Amino acid sequence: MTVSYYNQIVESTKYIKSIIKDKPDIAIVLGTGLGNFTDQIEVKHIIPYSVIPNFPPATVKGHAGQLVYGELNGKKVIAQNGRYHYYEGYNMQEVTLPIRVFKFLGVSYLLIASATGGIHEDYEAGDITVVNDHINLHYNNPLLGPNDDRLGPRFPDMTDAYNPKLIELCHEIAQENKINLHNSVYGGLPGPNLETKAEYNYLHIIGATVVGMSTIPEILVARHMELSSCVLTAVTNKCFPISAIRKVTHQEVIDVAQQVEQKISTIVSKLIMRI
Ligand code: HPA
């Protein structure tokens, strides 16, 4: 007999609870090249995905594939070090299972860090942004299909999908720490290829200012479950104007993300303190 998605969430949650025995306040999802943030956590438990029921393995270079539970600045945090991407072949429910599980563990806040291409003329590689809004170009959605009312409403409102209070706090912290932080609109595509010049240009025209291959599925589910979310991105490659585009490898994306990790870490850890 196949286990329902709801029961899978319950099963994964039960396993994690049996280990951490505590209610985390904040979940942090760490994207490409941003995994070292876990060094700041006073670690109590590390749980590899391979032992959690229903969690698929993480396959992408730069993604560790473990949950890290511990304390940071007086808050109980659970970090997803290594995420699932749609382009890996997982379905949208698999990609977003950890977010469902975080909510079931009792988390109220979701903080996401990810790598993006910059499609605004003022953004340079190595800049960071806080996402204010998104455009979903995945042509898929984890909320498609029959709605399970135990998880959330049929028609979730997206107005404050990116929590305005958290965005404001990020800017306050950035200013105090002399970090240049842009607001951004995240254009989400499935990948795995980087975009063509025509696609970068199209994204710019429709109003996106950064582009990435993740985050949107997680935010849709977070909104469905009424988690307050905040997304910070590392701009790893300049993609606008079109004349500024250079060839980019995944290793370069990882390297630039690691160079700016400190700035993102500073904002995330101080945000955690103020939440
Ligand atoms: N496109 C999509 N995703 C990305 C990029 C990009 O240019 N850079 C980092 N992640």
Side-chain angles (χ1 to χ4, degrees), residues 115-117 194-195 200 211-213 236-237 239 253:
T116 53
L194 298 175
E195 290 65 36
Y200 285 126
V211 55
M213 307 173 192
T236 57
N237 46 306
C239 312
V253 167

Side-chain angles (χ1 to χ4, degrees), residues 32 87 114-119 186-195 200 203 210-214 234-239 248-250 253-254:
T32 304
Y87 61 72
S114 61
T116 53
I119 39 181
Y186 187 107
L189 285 130
N193 58 288
L194 298 175
E195 290 65 36
Y200 285 126
L203 286 158
V210 293
V211 55
M213 307 173 192
S214 62
V235 175
T236 57
N237 46 306
K238 187 168 174 68
C239 312
V248 66
T249 62
H250 184 60
V253 167
I254 295 175

Side-chain angles (χ1 to χ4, degrees), residues 114-126:
S114 61
T116 53
I119 39 181
H120 187 294
E121 51 271 40
D122 295 344
Y123 298 0
E124 302 297 329

Side-chain angles (χ1 to χ4, degrees), residues 96-124:
T96 54
L97 177 71
I99 310 300
R100 300 282 189 198
V101 170
F102 295 148
K103 175 74 183 189
F104 275 44
L105 286 169
V107 158
S108 314
Y109 292 93
L110 175 68
L111 312 181
I112 298 180
S114 61
T116 53
I119 39 181
H120 187 294
E121 51 271 40
D122 295 344
Y123 298 0
E124 302 297 329

Side-chain angles (χ1 to χ4, degrees), residues 154-166:
R154 172 75 288 186
F155 300 110
D157 177 80
M158 291 300 289
T159 321
D160 288 340
Y162 299 87
N163 187 283
K165 186 83 206 132
L166 297 180

Side-chain angles (χ1 to χ4, degrees), residues 10-32:
V10 170
E11 199 175 46
S12 310
T13 307
K14 208 166 139 187
Y15 178 80
I16 296 165
K17 271 188 176 165
S18 76
I19 294 174
I20 68 176
K21 299 189 169 60
D22 236 348
K23 185 179 95 59
D25 309 307
I26 300 167
I28 312 163
V29 178
L30 300 165
T32 304

